[in-house]
Amino acid sequence: MKFRFAKDKWLSKEYTFAHSGLLAYDKFQHFVGGMVVCIIGTFVSKSIAVGVICSAIFWFLWEVKDGILRYEECQYVTHWPIWYNWGAEGFSWRDMVAAWLGAGMAVFIIGAIF
């Protein structure tokens, strides 16, 4: 099993959630995911710092998973609630940065609300 790095671009598209619009862009999906994980972590732990740390670790590990599981050979496919192949083309630092920026936006939003 060889660890792979993705050859993606900032405007790469990934059509799991949408075929057009912002959600068709992979980095936007990661941005939203970073926000969601941070917000959930914050409300569960009642600490913004813990929410950010949970999101950062989660998305780093997600990219490690992407570096290990090849989508071409992946046996991990779900069909509910969406069809999703858990493999990927490799570890993407761009995906990770987009998710971390989403966590930063969540901190901004939570700070503005509370």
Side-chain angles (χ1 to χ4, degrees), residues 53-102:
I53 291 168
C54 287
S55 186
I57 291 170
F58 176 87
W59 289 106
F60 171 74
L61 293 175
W62 185 270
E63 291 306 318
V64 169
K65 180 259 322 163
D66 284 354
I68 295 170
L69 293 179
R70 300 171 58 95
Y71 74 91
E72 306 93 352
E73 303 165 359
C74 189
Q75 301 298 313
Y76 306 103
V77 177
T78 56
H79 298 281
W80 187 90
I82 59 169
W83 182 90
Y84 190 75
N85 180 335
W86 290 87
E89 67 176 349
F91 183 97
S92 170
W93 66 269
R94 289 177 179 93
D95 287 354
M96 190 172 60
V97 167
W100 289 357
L101 289 171

Side-chain angles (χ1 to χ4, degrees), residues 22-43:
L22 281 175
L23 275 177
Y25 289 93
D26 184 43
K27 304 310 172 265
F28 188 73
Q29 291 175 20
H30 282 273
F31 181 83
V32 171
M35 286 178 34
V36 168
V37 172
C38 182
I39 289 169
I40 291 170
T42 297
F43 284 110

